[in-house]
Amino acid sequence: MARMHTRRRGQSCSVRPARNEAPSWSNTDKAAIEKLIVDLRKEGTSSSMIGLILRDRHGVPDVKMVTGKSIGDILVENKISSEIPEDLRDLMVKALGLRKHLEDNKKDLHNKRQLHLVEAKIRRLVKYYVGTKKLPAGFTYKPETTEILLSR
């Protein structure tokens, strides 16, 4: 698949092996895994980092294969999911950093273009999340209020 804002194609990556059940060496205790996920989230860890920690430190190659639910579903069940989806939050942080950089470096045209591209991705993602009702109906991206929104 082609990249969004360039004419280049994507980069081939490794593929996870196709399995129907968890490997014998992995941690398969559902209750312990769900408790770990909840504890890590309460510490302020993002859902993608939770997956990496479970894989690297606790021997859980795939949470969904073991528990039958994704990390996001477990967080929603325990009512500790974030208001803003993680991918949107990361793009907002990136746009905020670019804006702060451009305040000091007004003639940096390359990063000015990157800011436009990142904000286009944010608007596209907000439209998707409002349509899927993961964000409230009146939600709009405003660069002025982004810092306040992310501090919550």
Side-chain angles (χ1 to χ4, degrees):
M1 186 172 166
R3 294 188 183 264
M4 190 176 293
H5 295 296
T6 64
R7 294 187 180 103
R8 292 180 279 140
R9 288 186 289 274
Q11 188 175 9
S12 176
C13 296
S14 62
V15 178
R16 188 181 302 161
R19 291 179 180 255
N20 294 334
E21 52 190 48
S24 60
W25 52 263
S26 68
N27 183 359
T28 56
D29 186 14
K30 291 180 184 180
I33 292 172
E34 287 187 18
K35 184 179 181 320
L36 271 170
I37 291 171
V38 170
D39 291 342
L40 287 170
R41 181 62 189 167
K42 286 182 180 176
E43 290 174 8
T45 312
S46 66
S47 58
S48 60
M49 282 303 296
I50 290 172
L52 292 176
I53 291 169
L54 288 174
R55 182 194 70 192
D56 296 340
R57 295 187 195 159
H58 301 284
V60 182
D62 189 7
V63 173
K64 191 168 187 175
M65 188 184 304
V66 174
T67 62
K69 298 177 271 188
S70 66
I71 294 174
D73 293 340
I74 293 170
L75 295 177
V76 168
E77 267 183 14
N78 291 297
K79 297 177 183 159
I80 51 175
S81 62
S82 61
E83 297 173 11
I84 300 173
E86 184 180 356
D87 53 351
L88 182 60
R89 175 179 287 276
D90 291 342
L91 283 173
M92 287 177 156
V93 167
K94 188 175 197 172
L96 190 61
L98 282 170
R99 282 196 175 277
K100 286 182 179 178
H101 171 78
L102 288 172
E103 285 176 9
D104 299 333
N105 307 287
K106 296 187 188 316
K107 293 186 179 184
D108 191 351
L109 297 179
H110 295 289
N111 282 329
K112 191 178 284 190
R113 173 169 160 62
Q114 273 312 116
L115 177 64
H116 291 305
L117 297 180
V118 168
E119 287 184 340
K121 288 179 190 177
I122 291 172
R123 280 188 231 100
R124 197 176 299 118
L125 212 51
V126 165
K127 186 177 173 183
Y128 167 75
Y129 282 131
V130 167
T132 57
K133 296 185 172 86
K134 290 186 180 181
L135 287 176
F139 187 89
T140 54
Y141 169 72
K142 295 177 190 154
E144 303 82 33
T145 59
T146 302
E147 194 166 4
I148 297 167
L149 189 65
L150 293 177
S151 65
R152 288 190 219 167

